[in-house]
Amino acid sequence: MKKDIILSGVGGQGILSIATVIGEAATIAGLHLKQAEVHGMSQRGGDVQSDLRLSTEPIASDLIARGQADLIISMEPMEALRYLPFLAADGAVITSSKPFINIPNYPEEAALQAELKALPKVVQSDIDQVAADLGAARSSNMVLLGMAAKFLEIVSPDTLREAIRHIFASKGDSVVESNIRAFNAGIELSE
C-alpha cells in the first residue's frame, strides 16, 4: 500500500507541521517515508509545498510525478488548485475554504470555488473559524489534518493522534490537547 501526498499553503500556515506529524505517524507505523520540501520564500508569505510519500514497500524517489498524487492537503484554496496537475484521477483534495489573500491579483473567490466544486473528491471547510471556535486559533492546520485523516488510510487516526502528542509534547499539555481537539474536529467535519 502507498500514499502520495502533496501538502501546500503559504509560509507560516503550518504545512510543514502537518508533514512532520504525518511523517512521525508513518515512522510509528513502521512505514517507508520520503519527503521533499519547497519553502524558500515561506518567510515572506510565499508558497510552501511538500511531497510526502508513504509506503509499505521501499520508495525510490521523494518526488511525486504528475497525475500520481493520491491526496492534496492545502491550507489555502488557490494553492490546492496550483497542484491539480499532480493529482491522480481518483485523488482527493482537502483544503481550507477561506482564501489567504497575499497577492494583489488573487483570483476571485467564486472562481476558486467553482473550480474546486468541479472536482470529484473535495472536502473543504473554514478551518480558521473551526479552530477559533475551539479556542485553538493556532491549530487550524490540525483541523485540516483531521479532515484528511480518512483519506490517508495508510496511517490510522489513533497513530496520527500519537504523533501529534509526540511532536507537540515539548510545548506542554495544553498545546498537545488543543491540537488533538482540533484534529478530532477535523475528523468530524469530513464525515
Side-chain angles (χ1 to χ4, degrees), residues 114-179:
E115 281 194 60
L116 286 168
K117 288 177 181 170
L119 299 172
K121 291 183 194 171
V122 176
V123 177
Q124 61 176 328
S125 184
D126 185 344
I127 59 174
D128 293 333
Q129 187 62 56
V130 172
D133 290 347
L134 292 170
R138 295 184 55 148
S139 299
S140 58
N141 59 342
M142 292 300 113
V143 173
L144 188 67
L145 178 58
M147 289 167 53
K150 76 176 184 181
F151 296 94
L152 290 172
E153 300 168 327
I154 198 164
V155 289
S156 71
D158 286 339
T159 305
L160 288 163
R161 284 185 195 94
E162 184 179 345
I164 291 167
R165 285 185 182 92
H166 184 260
I167 296 300
F168 292 103
S170 66
K171 297 186 185 251
D173 290 344
S174 65
V175 171
V176 170
E177 290 312 311
S178 68
N179 280 290

Side-chain angles (χ1 to χ4, degrees), residues 57-84:
E57 303 297 323
I59 304 165
S61 172
D62 55 355
L63 297 177
I64 299 170
R66 286 179 169 267
Q68 298 301 307
D70 300 299
L71 192 57
I72 294 174
I73 303 173
S74 183
M75 292 289 294
E76 206 284 326
M78 183 182 75
E79 294 300 330
L81 294 174
R82 180 190 308 260
Y83 295 99
L84 283 184

